[in-house]
Amino acid sequence: MRFALGMIFAGSAIAAAPPHETPEVSGSDHVAVQLISEHLSLIPGQSQQLGLLLHHEPHWHTYWINPGDSGLPTTLAWTLPPGFKAAEVAWPLPRRFDVGGLYNFGYENEAVLPIALSVPADAKPGSTAHLSVDAKWLVCREECIPGQARLSLDLPVV
């Protein structure tokens, strides 16, 4: 499935999605996740931004790389074509949550975890790159629920 996001990187904000395509949505209780792309296609030898878009139900949150007093950060395990490389998450600034006297750091409402994808110079124009990620997270309010999803994007190399 192809999907592009007109991403505006301003601090931790990334906004707007085109109306013409619906990305694969997955998730568990209280959070839905999507793998999104900055562009509709890939160019050999260049990098672009991917993102894990998190849609939290009201009052629920997931965690930053340093979760604070409790919690676990979201983890990503990639399956990519040969030569493609996904960087670590460029963690946006989190929000601080006070949950029963414990201080945690993370995200609520809608958040994007940006990831730079390097496309190898020898990627063949006319081919399609299948990008897949296994995402795992902990979503909490007062209680916590582990979640996971396998998400993918197929983007043409031009």
Side-chain angles (χ1 to χ4, degrees), residues 19-140:
H20 64 281
E21 292 191 34
T22 303
E24 172 184 3
V25 178
S26 189
S28 63
D29 295 332
H30 311 293
V31 66
V33 296
Q34 298 170 311
L35 181 60
I36 57 175
S37 175
E38 180 181 19
H39 299 288
L40 286 172
S41 59
L42 303 171
I43 299 172
Q46 295 190 5
S47 66
Q48 77 169 54
Q49 291 293 317
L50 299 178
L52 183 68
L53 178 59
L54 303 160
H55 300 277
H56 300 87
E57 287 183 7
H59 311 292
W60 288 83
H61 62 273
T62 54
Y63 292 94
W64 187 47
I65 189 171
N66 175 356
D69 292 332
S70 63
L72 295 169
T74 299
T75 61
L76 304 176
W78 292 92
T79 303
L80 301 170
F84 285 71
K85 291 188 177 23
E88 296 296 318
V89 172
W91 295 92
L93 291 175
R95 171 161 193 256
R96 187 172 101 164
F97 301 99
D98 179 359
V99 182
L102 297 175
Y103 291 99
N104 299 317
F105 302 98
Y107 310 100
E108 64 181 355
N109 301 320
E110 186 172 281
V112 174
L113 304 181
I115 303 102
L117 176 72
S118 296
V119 180
D122 63 353
K124 185 178 177 186
S127 66
T128 298
H130 181 73
L131 314 173
S132 180
V133 67
D134 289 317
K136 293 183 180 180
W137 61 86
L138 191 62
V139 61
C140 302

